[in-house]
Amino acid sequence: MTGMLAAAVLADHADVTVVERDLLPSGPEPRKGLPQARHAHVLWSGGVKALEELLPGITEQLVARGAWRARIMTDLVSKAPSGQWFRRFNHSHHTNLLCSRDLLDAVIRARVLEDRRITLRPQTELLALQGSANRVSGVRIRAAHSEDTLTADLVIDASGRASRAPVWLRDLGLPPVLERKVDAGLVYASRTYRAPGSTADGFPIVNVQADPRQAPGKGGIIAPIEGGRWLVTLAGTRGGQPTADNDAFLAFARELPHPVIGELLAGAEPETDVVTTRSTANKRRYYERAARWPEGFAVLGDAVAGYNPVYGHGLSVSAQSVIALRRVLRRQDLGARGLARSIQKAAARPVDNAWSLAVGQDVFYPGASDQPPSRLERILAAFVDRAVDAGSRNPRALRVLLDVMSMETSPARLFMPDMVALVYLGRKKPLLDGPPLTEPERRAAVAGAPLGSVE
Ligand SMILES: Cc1cc2nc3c(=O)[nH]c(=O)nc-3n(C[C@H](O)[C@H](O)[C@H](O)COP(=O)(O)OP(=O)(O)OC[C@H]3O[C@@H](n4cnc5c(N)ncnc54)[C@H](O)[C@@H]3O)c2cc1C
């Protein structure tokens, strides 16, 4: 995703080669290098906007292939980590995109590769950087058992969580960069179901969030995706992790802080076996702070930072980082001195936003971090809890909360005076005592009755 989007932007400035280890399928099919595609992926509205800015019309192309625009204030049934159910308000400002990750990638890939200025080198592995500590001049690659060198004015590493950039930089003689890891020990278990009853179109996303202060944290999501399917992901932290046992999946869903996902799945027919992943730690490399940085090289996407996926921010950061890349390239020439460092610094902004949201919660899981939560982190987390409570019961507060959660604005927005006033003084509707599914929605899932609209 990051590599393809970056290629689209770079093509306005140079001939571009995308080096990809996998043989890329022609359609929305699974592949080895993208194991996370089997788990639920939600693209928040900030990411949808960034994607649309990079590839105008792409949302429509995705929708034509079965992706679903979810108006998140209405189409989300969600239980907050601190326990309350969010009310559903009629409001269409935040529109998320829901589909399988395979479909998302296939449509983006096909669109980007239409550009003749971009060459794809599939089944080709990036092995090392070429050049010196002052300037990267290309890459060493391997394809079909033979090695080769590609020269380049700019190399972007977009190789995801397992990026070897720290080793490549060390091999050029550069000092290590600061890294941080906050690992809640979360395990994801996912399974695809045929959408039960008459829920194939317009059924809300159902989400039960884990509470970092009630370890083990357990949560789950039903993500309605293309092809009349539900992609169901369940997750648990240390001491409460799900397994790949098909027979245990439903029981785990019933043990979440609320059993609604288990209830909705009771009569649903699974289409796949359960798959699990432990690749969920928040892990960041602070390249933008490196004491020395070579010309001609930048790192983007998960290769810079991966986040606990329950917050669903990685794809949005990826698209927003590429917009940052585009902005820098429009200001500075490809050969300009300091270009690579400017890209790295600009790309760090969306990373900062997603990082503070994820780590601000996850530091509370036992054993997640070397350093226990600081006093400031505790104060901020307590305020965020209050903001979530206000958002669950007041549409204006929810709008601000969603501006932040959707990656449309920075988390600092939560602390602006109007939001603080809403949190402490705003009128709030009473707490809900259960998931705000409408009766027609429940009946649609269980008895196949037609879906009604939300009041
Ligand atoms: C379980 C899970 C669920 C997630 N859910 C969400 C979600 O709901 N919403 C969201 O926004 N984000 C989510 N994410 C995060 C999202 O998957 C990532 O942010 C996103 O994939 C990052 O894209 P990328 O292009 O940077 O890296 P990747 O998608 O990992 O792509 C890296 C690419 O590099 C290739 N590659 C790797 N090494 C080499 C090499 N040496 N040479 C050549 N090619 C190489 C790989 O084959 C792959 O194609 C989730 C992540 C996980 C793990």
Side-chain angles (χ1 to χ4, degrees):
M1 167 97 170
T2 310
M4 286 296 161
L5 295 178
V9 161
L10 286 161
D12 285 339
H13 303 269
D15 292 330
V16 183
T17 304
V18 178
V19 175
E20 167 57 54
R21 191 165 45 197
D22 276 356
L23 176 63
L24 295 173
S26 57
E29 285 145 45
R31 62 186 177 91
K32 192 164 167 245
L34 206 70
Q36 70 265 43
R38 290 180 293 178
H39 303 276
H41 271 68
V42 175
L43 183 60
W44 284 96
S45 59
V48 177
K49 285 183 178 168
L51 194 58
E52 190 62 31
E53 212 180 309
L54 292 165
L55 302 173
I58 192 77
T59 318
E60 210 44 66
Q61 284 181 281
L62 282 156
V63 169
R65 298 283 300 272
W68 177 55
R69 283 192 182 98
R71 295 166 307 141
I72 214 67
M73 271 177 102
T74 315
D75 297 332
L76 175 67
V77 169
S78 179
K79 186 172 167 62
S82 36
Q84 43 302 64
W85 287 99
F86 285 93
R87 283 180 178 272
R88 295 164 76 184
F89 298 106
N90 259 326
H91 193 284
S92 57
H93 174 65
H94 303 90
T95 304
N96 290 19
L97 203 62
L98 252 91
C99 61
S100 69
R101 176 68 194 272
D102 287 332
L103 180 67
L104 184 73
D105 278 26
V107 172
I108 291 175
R109 189 160 69 226
R111 168 78 178 268
V112 170
L113 294 177
E114 278 170 7
D115 191 328
R116 294 275 173 88
R117 298 167 298 181
I118 301 172
T119 309
L120 173 68
R121 302 269 305 239
Q123 291 180 292
T124 305
E125 186 179 7
L126 179 57
L127 298 175
L129 299 175
Q130 292 282 291
S132 67
N134 294 327
R135 169 167 280 283
V136 168
S137 56
V139 290
R140 192 90 195 131
I141 54 170
R142 178 170 50 212
H145 309 298
S146 71
E147 288 191 19
D148 201 356
T149 300
L150 288 179
T151 56
D153 293 320
L154 179 63
V155 173
I156 304 271
D157 172 21
S159 61
R161 267 182 187 257
S163 157
R164 289 173 48 77
V167 177
W168 298 335
L169 290 167
R170 186 201 62 200
D171 291 348
L172 291 181
L174 286 153
V177 295
L178 178 69
E179 294 192 11
R180 190 172 177 209
K181 190 170 173 183
V182 176
D183 183 4
L186 191 80
V187 172
Y188 253 43
S190 299
R191 190 170 206 192
T192 304
Y193 287 78
R194 182 122 299 277
S198 56
T199 61
D201 264 323
F203 198 77
I205 304 163
V206 180
N207 180 208
V208 175
Q209 299 180 52
D211 181 357
R213 274 140 293 201
Q214 297 264 314
K218 287 184 175 182
I221 185 168
I222 296 178
I225 59 167
E226 79 277 4
R229 292 173 293 161
W230 281 4
L231 177 44
V232 182
T233 290
L234 307 177
T237 61
R238 292 182 190 92
Q241 295 160 332
T243 65
D245 179 358
N246 287 341
D247 296 333
F249 196 75
L250 206 55
F252 191 93
R254 290 203 179 99
E255 285 162 16
L256 302 183
H258 191 282
V260 61
I261 293 181
E263 289 164 10
L264 290 168
L265 289 181
E269 187 193 326
E271 286 194 334
T272 62
D273 288 334
V274 178
V275 286
T276 58
T277 180
R278 292 172 177 271
S279 199
T280 61
N282 301 288
K283 195 168 139 197
R284 178 169 182 183
R285 292 155 175 162
Y286 291 84
Y287 292 120
E288 72 282 5
R289 295 194 201 164
R292 288 180 66 197
W293 192 255
E295 301 287 350
F297 180 62
V299 189
L300 296 178
D302 272 24
V304 175
Y307 319 87
N308 179 342
V310 295
Y311 305 108
H313 285 151
L315 293 170
S316 296
V317 175
S318 159
Q320 291 177 346
S321 304
V322 175
I323 288 197
L325 166 73
R326 186 172 73 174
R327 238 179 262 132
V328 174
L329 284 169
R330 283 181 177 170
R331 275 199 320 259
Q332 294 179 49
D333 198 64
L334 206 53
R337 226 178 128 76
L339 174 85
R341 195 186 267 284
S342 302
I343 295 170
Q344 213 58 62
K345 280 189 188 290
R349 273 178 224 127
V351 172
D352 276 338
N353 292 344
W355 182 258
S356 32
L357 287 170
V359 166
Q361 293 287 314
D362 286 2
V363 280
F364 290 93
Y365 282 112
S369 172
D370 298 343
Q371 307 129 16
S374 65
R375 204 171 120 72
L376 180 64
E377 280 170 331
R378 285 183 192 281
I379 292 169
L380 292 179
F383 178 77
V384 170
D385 279 352
R386 297 287 301 258
V388 166
D389 178 63
S392 70
R393 311 197 262 149
N394 174 306
R396 286 172 59 209
L398 183 57
R399 207 166 144 174
V400 176
L401 196 64
L402 284 177
D403 279 344
V404 173
M405 286 311 297
S406 304
M407 296 284 292
E408 296 214 12
T409 187
S410 105
R413 175 70 184 90
L414 291 179
F415 304 97
M416 286 171 73
D418 62 331
M419 183 60 175
V420 175
L422 282 168
V423 168
Y424 290 108
L425 307 169
R427 286 178 55 186
K428 299 177 187 83
K429 288 179 179 270
L431 284 173
L432 295 173
D433 55 9
L437 281 164
T438 62
E439 225 9 73
E441 283 166 352
R442 276 200 182 270
R443 279 203 305 271
V446 177
L451 273 172
S453 60
V454 182
E455 308 272 296

